[in-house]
């Protein structure tokens, strides 16, 4: 019998020690900024009840949910006719809901809303939380798009103040400044989109319009127009929509243009314009050093957004959105807690990782798992090295290791080189007598004699003060 070659599911990845160290650097950087703004950590289960997830992301999102087959005899009590009827139903989820009670989470926002409602009596509102966990989508894998990926979410719920939107924009600035990535933040408002739909006479097709125009960057205006026609918009409405999607100029010029277009046709649209204007006024008054661009084609096709919507793109690397989010006025309402507004933004860790890697922005030290390798000369010298290593770890917090066998120096040197360990430490008979270690920097070949009591300092700083 042939041995099957080991593999992993498409759209998932293993992470090597170097990759994991880099990812930890990314997560730690983002976490530190979330904490700086007063957000608290939260985790939710990988699986949610399917009823929690279905219907929250629109038809497109429902298709991408990973559903978990019921364990045990999941067909018990279900007649064959029932299964056949469910499989032939017009509802794509009819069969799934009969044999699946759970699903892997699609994002972190809906589970967060569920948590808020479930624990409402334990939470102090406004509730500010951050969450860094994996999510799963049954999407077609491609560059920058995975079936399992991490999101880094930050949300505040229980407040409808637009200062929260302004704070999120500042968090975006701080995160990408810390990572060294130049970005642009695109801003729109779902109320404006509703106002546009009302203006062209199709308020009833708001969701159809947003789902279609959300693909503008990917498929282009002509393909979007074709999809709008397939969704029931007549040629006149599509023609009226096109110049709005192609508006150019400064943010103020775009606001003036859309104000003139909407006019008195939509009170909701005018409210959206006022909200965007307020956010932009704060951004300008505070001197936020981040390009913020009003993009009236930005839709973010998720059903639960009701106000401001954000999307962030890297300026120096070809990649889709690396961060996005928005305002949701009643997401908790679907779980029985109405009129609780929230706003949040999600950093796509895997795409940000790819950008950092592509631009060579990871600090060199993130690849270091060990700072120094102590050379093994024999049992007596190894005992002396182990005592020294205890002090280095305890006093300097420096990661060090001893080669496990007294092998040839060349073999130990090659091991350190392949592991990316920058220093070799020699503690032989002469070094033990003089109580001074010989430290070799592998990249330069430079050797330094370091007193035992100052070895932690040297290995930590790369020199003696």
């Amino acid at each position: 019998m042939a041995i099957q070659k080991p593999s992993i599911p498409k759209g998932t990845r293993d992470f090597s020690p170097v990759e994991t160290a880099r990812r930890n650097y990314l997560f730690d950087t983002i976490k530190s900024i979330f904490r700086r703004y007063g957000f608290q950590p939260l985790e939710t289960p990988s699986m949610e009840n399917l009823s929690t997830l279905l219907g929250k992301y629109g038809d497109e999102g429902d298709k991408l949910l990973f559903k978990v087959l019921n364990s045990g005899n999941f067909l018990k009590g279900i007649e064959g006719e029932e299964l056949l009827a469910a499989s032939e139903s017009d509802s794509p989820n009819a069969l799934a809901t009969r044999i699946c009670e759970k699903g892997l989470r699609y994002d972190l926002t809906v589970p967060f809303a569920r948590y808020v409602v479930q624990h409402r009596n334990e939470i102090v509102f406004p509730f500010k939380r951050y969450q860094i966990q994996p999510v799963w989508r049954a999407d077609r894998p491609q560059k920058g798009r995975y079936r399992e990926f991490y999101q880094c979410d930050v949300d505040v719920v229980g407040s409808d103040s637009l200062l929260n939107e302004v704070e999120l924009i500042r968090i975006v600035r701080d995160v990408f400044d810390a990572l060294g990535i130049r970005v642009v933040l695109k801003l729109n408002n779902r109320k404006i989109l509703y106002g546009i739909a009302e203006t062209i006479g199709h308020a009833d097709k708001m969701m159809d319009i947003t789902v279609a125009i959300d693909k503008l960057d990917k498929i282009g205006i002509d393909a979007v127009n074709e999809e709008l026609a397939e969704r029931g918009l007549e040629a006149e409405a599509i023609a009226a929509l096109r110049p709005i999607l192609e508006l150019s100029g400064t943010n103020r010029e775009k606001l003036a243009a859309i104000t003139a277009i909407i006019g008195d046709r939509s009170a909701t649209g005018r409210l959206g314009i006022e909200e965007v204007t307020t956010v932009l006024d704060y951004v300008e008054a505070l001197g936020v050093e981040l390009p913020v661009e009003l993009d009236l084609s930005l839709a973010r096709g998720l059903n639960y957004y009701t106000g401001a919507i954000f999307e962030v793109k890297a300026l120096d690397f070809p990649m889709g959105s690396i961060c996005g989010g928005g305002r949701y006025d009643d997401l908790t309402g679907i779980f029985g807690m109405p009129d609780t507004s929230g706003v949040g933004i999600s950093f796509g860790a895997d795409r940000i990782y790819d950008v950092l890697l592509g631009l060579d922005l990871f600090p060199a030290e993130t690849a270091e798992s060990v700072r120094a390798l102590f050379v093994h000369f024999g049992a007596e010298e190894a005992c002396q090295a182990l005592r020294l290593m205890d002090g280095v770890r305890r006093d300097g917090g420096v990661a060090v290791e001893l080669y496990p066998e007294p092998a040839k120096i060349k073999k130990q040197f090659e091991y350190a080189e392949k592991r990316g360990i920058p220093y070799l430490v020699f503690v032989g008979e002469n070094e033990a007598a003089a109580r001074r270690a010989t430290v070799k920097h592998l990249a330069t070949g430079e050797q330094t004699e370091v007193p035992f009591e100052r070895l932690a300092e040297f290995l930590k700083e790369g020199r003696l003060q």
Side-chain angles (χ1 to χ4, degrees):
M1 181 178 175
I3 298 175
Q4 186 176 356
K5 184 179 179 181
S7 64
I8 57 175
K10 288 183 179 179
T12 65
R13 294 163 297 163
D14 290 319
F15 299 106
S16 69
V18 169
E19 289 168 328
T20 301
R22 287 171 173 166
R23 286 166 65 83
N24 287 340
Y25 158 77
L26 172 59
F27 294 144
D28 290 345
T29 301
I30 294 173
K31 277 183 198 174
S32 69
I33 291 164
F34 288 169
R35 292 194 191 107
R36 197 181 301 164
Y37 281 81
F39 289 84
Q40 304 173 80
L42 179 71
E43 291 191 358
T44 59
S46 300
M47 289 186 295
E48 293 279 346
N49 291 324
L50 199 53
S51 58
T52 298
L53 303 173
L54 284 173
K56 313 306 186 300
Y57 308 105
D59 291 342
E60 299 281 325
D62 280 353
K63 293 174 186 175
L64 301 181
L65 284 173
F66 272 110
K67 300 159 184 82
V68 179
L69 197 64
N70 293 343
S71 56
N73 186 6
F74 62 88
L75 293 178
K76 186 176 181 180
I78 303 177
E79 300 295 335
E81 292 80 4
E82 290 182 81
L83 281 177
L84 182 61
S87 66
E88 294 176 346
S89 167
D90 290 336
S91 169
N93 295 311
L95 179 60
T97 53
R98 296 308 306 271
I99 61 176
C100 304
E101 295 174 355
K102 299 173 286 295
L104 297 180
R105 59 171 173 251
Y106 178 92
D107 72 352
L108 299 178
T109 307
V110 169
F112 171 56
R114 188 267 309 153
Y115 175 89
V116 168
V117 176
Q118 191 173 340
H119 299 272
R120 71 182 89 179
N121 296 325
E122 307 157 28
I123 292 172
V124 177
F125 292 98
F127 180 43
K128 301 172 72 173
R129 84 85 171 84
Y130 73 84
Q131 192 170 347
I132 299 178
Q133 287 186 278
V135 299
W136 293 267
R137 296 182 186 177
D139 213 342
R140 184 171 65 85
Q142 54 187 289
K143 181 177 173 58
R145 188 181 295 274
Y146 309 101
R147 287 177 171 167
E148 179 185 62
F149 57 97
Y150 269 73
Q151 288 185 337
C152 308
D153 277 23
V154 58
D155 287 76
V156 54
V157 67
S159 168
D160 56 10
S161 170
L162 293 174
L163 288 177
N164 295 314
E165 276 85 339
V166 176
E167 186 169 77
L168 290 177
I169 291 173
R170 288 154 69 87
I171 288 173
V172 168
R173 174 203 61 189
D174 287 358
V175 166
F176 289 109
D177 276 356
L179 295 173
I181 300 174
R182 294 195 320 122
V183 298
V184 59
L185 183 145
K186 298 197 173 190
L187 170 69
N188 199 8
N189 193 295
R190 295 277 284 199
K191 294 183 180 74
I192 294 178
L193 290 170
Y194 183 82
I196 292 170
E198 274 197 307
T199 299
I200 66 173
H202 275 293
D204 60 320
K205 292 192 176 294
M206 163 71 173
M207 291 304 168
D208 289 305
I209 292 170
T210 55
V211 168
I213 69 175
D214 195 47
K215 303 172 184 175
L216 184 62
D217 282 351
K218 300 172 189 171
I219 64 177
I221 188 68
D222 292 334
V224 166
N225 288 343
E226 288 177 14
E227 182 168 334
L228 289 169
E230 291 170 3
R231 290 176 177 270
L233 270 73
E234 65 276 4
E236 294 79 5
I238 294 172
L241 180 61
R242 180 164 185 158
I244 297 173
L245 300 180
E246 294 178 338
L247 278 176
S248 60
T250 65
N251 290 336
R252 300 299 174 179
E253 289 168 346
K254 291 176 186 174
L255 281 171
I258 195 61
T259 301
I261 290 169
I262 290 178
D264 295 327
R265 299 180 184 90
S266 173
T268 301
R270 290 198 307 275
L271 179 58
I273 292 170
E274 290 172 12
E275 290 180 1
V276 167
T277 302
T278 299
V279 170
L280 290 174
D281 285 346
Y282 273 115
V283 168
E284 290 179 12
L286 294 169
V288 178
E289 305 88 357
L290 173 74
V292 178
E293 176 188 321
L294 176 60
D295 183 352
L296 295 169
S297 70
L298 176 61
R300 295 198 65 78
L302 297 179
N303 283 352
Y304 53 67
Y305 289 126
T306 56
I309 43 179
F310 312 97
E311 197 160 271
V312 178
K313 294 191 175 183
L315 290 172
D316 302 318
F317 193 80
M319 180 65 72
S321 169
I322 58 176
C323 180
R327 166 74 62 174
Y328 41 91
D329 282 332
D330 197 28
L331 186 56
T332 56
I334 56 180
F335 300 117
M337 184 178 168
D339 305 319
T340 307
S341 187
V343 63
I345 199 160
S346 177
F347 293 79
D350 297 271
R351 287 190 174 189
I352 296 171
Y353 180 99
D354 289 346
V355 172
L356 288 169
L357 192 63
L359 295 176
D360 194 23
L361 291 175
F362 280 110
E365 58 268 21
T366 60
E368 289 180 10
S369 58
V370 175
R371 187 72 171 161
L373 175 72
F374 280 66
V375 174
H376 194 148
F377 288 106
E380 188 175 334
E381 292 87 350
C383 192
Q384 175 67 67
L386 288 169
R387 281 194 292 268
L388 266 178
M389 290 162 66
D390 280 346
V392 167
R393 290 168 178 149
R394 182 181 58 247
D395 300 336
V398 180
V400 293
E401 69 175 72
L402 173 70
Y403 196 79
E405 295 108 15
K408 292 182 179 179
I409 298 296
K410 182 182 178 182
K411 184 175 181 179
Q412 299 186 50
F413 175 90
E414 288 174 348
Y415 172 81
E417 198 170 44
K418 288 177 181 176
R419 284 281 311 277
I421 300 173
Y423 293 102
L424 277 182
V425 179
F426 299 87
V427 185
E429 185 178 337
N430 294 337
E431 284 85 3
R435 297 192 57 77
R436 298 174 71 88
T438 300
V439 182
K440 180 171 183 170
H441 189 250
L442 268 65
T444 64
E446 182 181 354
Q447 292 193 174
T448 308
E449 290 189 3
V450 182
F452 283 178
E453 62 272 14
R454 302 191 68 185
L455 187 55
E457 174 193 344
F458 183 89
L459 293 176
K460 193 171 186 178
E461 304 295 334
R463 59 192 174 90
L464 294 175
Q465 301 292 333

